[in-house]
Structure formats: structure tokens, C-alpha cells
Amino acid sequence: TTLNLNHRNKKFALFGTYSHFQGKSTGFFEMLRIQGNNVFDGETNSVRDMRNDRLNFGGDYYLDDKNTLSLSFSGNLSDNFNTSTSVTPISQINSSVDSILRAPNEDNNEVINLNTTFNYTYKDTSGRTGSTDFDVVRYLQDQTSLQPNIYLTPNQAIELGRNENFQETPIDITVLSGMLDYEQKLWKGVFAVGAKFSSVETDNTFDFYQVQNGENELDSSRTNQFKYVESILAGYVNYKYKLKKWGFQGG
């Protein structure tokens, strides 16, 4: 489902879009593997629930013939929940089934992605131009995964053992950036100056848990956190001059 709105007059140009998606998919596959004398004859059934909402709006405001302000915002929210149940009879070649591996997995993934942009532009008839841009980006992801491996007798009545783990892997990213540019004609050439800054912060966590008697116990040997911070401040001065077939530029 999608809705689009647009409006324009002498002072404003506005737009907006909203879309919604919701659905479900199912799947299955079979896989026969032979490793040495071991035979694994697996069958997996999966169900995926999906939802996505996207919003995008903004516009331009014309202060006069020389000055324009622009603003835009986009947001995306998604939520996916996946389940898969795998049943794998295990046997020796030319022998009956001696055990069954059952793996009912669950994965949940939620994402929020937001982006805001502001722009100011100046342009006159003498060749002077200027622009300012500022952007803010936020990305958040919350993802969990439950992965049980349960070994059962051939009739699935008695549990022989299990290996169960749970993973939580959130992501948090913030990006800020800004840019200023100015250009004009000077001494039969073009003079330009500008500056830019950007800041990036990311936080990625991978928490690995062993599930014991229904309780999550953090496994520090398989857990990791990655943090990254970057800041950039830059500027430039540039001059271009053209003489017949020759072009000169320095900065």
C-alpha cells in the first residue's frame, strides 16, 4: 500500500510518500548428507512474517529568486520474525535410524533507519553561488536468534541431549555531517572556498549465551563488542583560471 502527495505553488514545493508492506512466506527443503558412515536425512519447514513501513516527506521554500531552503526526512521501520523447524533422522549406512536431531530456530529482527537533510542554496546572476548542507542519520537494529539442537530417540519420546544457544546482536549507528561551499568569479577566474565536518559513531554488540535449564548464561569467550568513532574536519580553497586553450587550477 502506497500513498503519494505533492503540492507546489510560487513559494513552496512539498512532497510526501508513505508505504506499508505486510506479508508472510513459507518454505521447505530436504537435504540428504552422507559423511563417512553417517547418514543425515533432514527436512526443514520455515515461516517468515514481515512488516515494513516507509515514510518520506520534505520540500523546498523559495525565499526569493536567489535563496532556497530545502528539508527532507525519510524513515524506514521493519520487523521480521522467522521460525524454522528442522527434523533430521541420523543413521549409519544400511542401518535403521538411531537418533533424531530436532532444531526449532527463532529469529527476530527489528530495524529503525532515520535520515534528515537540510539544505540552503544561494545563486545570483553574477556567478556567485553558495550552499549549506546538514545531514543526520540514525540506524538502530535489534536482532535476536534462538538456536536449539535437541537429540531424541527414534520415536522422539526421550531426549538424549541438547545444545542450545541464544544470540543478541544490537547495532547503534549515528552519523552527523555538514558542508559549506561558496564560489564566485574573481580576476577572470573562479574562486571557491568550503568546509566540511562529519562524525560517525557505531556500536555493534554480539552477545552469545548458552541456554541451561531455560536460563541464558553469557559465554564471554564467544561474545564481542565493537565500537568505532570517527571525526573529520576539512576545508579547501581553490582558484581556476582559463587562458585560451590552457587551464590552470591551484588550491
Side-chain angles (χ1 to χ4, degrees):
T1 303
T2 302
L3 174 67
N4 290 301
L5 297 173
N6 293 276
H7 174 73
R8 183 179 182 123
N9 57 29
K10 292 182 179 180
K11 280 289 186 180
F12 292 95
L14 304 175
F15 68 90
T17 302
Y18 170 74
S19 63
H20 173 78
F21 170 82
Q22 189 165 346
K24 177 182 288 189
S25 66
T26 59
F28 71 93
F29 67 89
E30 298 178 355
M31 181 163 57
L32 176 66
R33 293 173 296 162
I34 300 176
Q35 298 178 346
N37 292 324
N38 298 314
V39 179
F40 303 89
D41 190 5
E43 180 179 306
T44 301
N45 293 278
S46 61
V47 178
R48 183 182 184 188
D49 285 299
M50 299 164 286
R51 193 193 78 228
N52 184 271
D53 292 280
R54 184 182 297 272
L55 177 65
N56 187 19
F57 67 87
D60 298 322
Y61 177 58
Y62 307 105
L63 298 172
D64 50 38
D65 294 339
K66 301 176 182 179
N67 299 275
T68 303
L69 294 175
S70 302
L71 178 68
S72 66
F73 171 83
S74 63
N76 184 45
L77 287 77
S78 64
D79 188 0
N80 298 318
F81 183 69
N82 307 319
T83 60
S84 66
T85 301
S86 176
V87 178
T88 304
I90 302 173
S91 63
Q92 302 290 312
I93 294 178
N94 299 324
S95 300
S96 59
V97 174
D98 53 47
S99 62
I100 290 180
L101 171 60
R102 187 172 181 270
N105 298 325
E106 295 182 359
D107 295 283
N108 189 29
N109 186 15
E110 299 179 5
V111 173
I112 300 175
N113 193 358
L114 307 175
N115 189 351
T116 303
T117 299
F118 171 79
N119 172 264
Y120 165 73
T121 302
Y122 172 85
K123 185 175 183 180
D124 63 21
T125 56
S126 66
R128 291 188 300 175
T129 62
S131 64
T132 300
D133 294 279
F134 185 70
D135 297 275
V136 180
V137 177
R138 288 286 285 132
Y139 180 88
L140 300 169
Q141 176 177 295
D142 189 10
Q143 184 170 1
T144 60
S145 178
L146 177 63
Q147 299 176 338
N149 290 280
I150 306 169
Y151 293 90
L152 304 167
T153 55
N155 61 1
Q156 301 191 46
I158 301 175
E159 182 177 316
L160 301 175
R162 69 168 58 203
N163 180 11
E164 188 172 357
N165 64 72
F166 177 78
Q167 301 164 27
E168 189 171 14
T169 55
I171 298 175
D172 188 339
I173 300 175
T174 301
V175 180
L176 303 175
S177 66
M179 184 167 58
L180 175 66
D181 293 288
Y182 176 78
E183 184 177 289
Q184 72 170 45
K185 294 180 180 179
L186 181 65
W187 302 326
K188 297 182 180 182
V190 177
F191 170 77
V193 63
K196 176 183 178 180
F197 83 91
S198 67
S199 172
V200 179
E201 294 185 9
T202 70
D203 188 355
N204 298 264
T205 302
F206 183 88
D207 287 337
F208 189 93
Y209 298 88
Q210 298 287 353
V211 182
Q212 303 290 341
N213 299 320
E215 299 291 333
N216 294 336
E217 297 181 2
L218 185 66
D219 186 348
S220 58
S221 65
R222 303 177 70 176
T223 293
N224 182 52
Q225 184 175 24
F226 173 76
K227 288 187 174 183
Y228 177 77
V229 177
E230 175 190 89
S231 298
I232 296 176
L233 181 61
Y236 73 91
V237 176
N238 191 65
Y239 183 74
K240 294 185 293 184
Y241 179 76
K242 189 173 183 180
L243 179 63
K244 296 182 180 180
K245 296 181 179 181
W246 293 90
F248 303 89
Q249 178 172 299

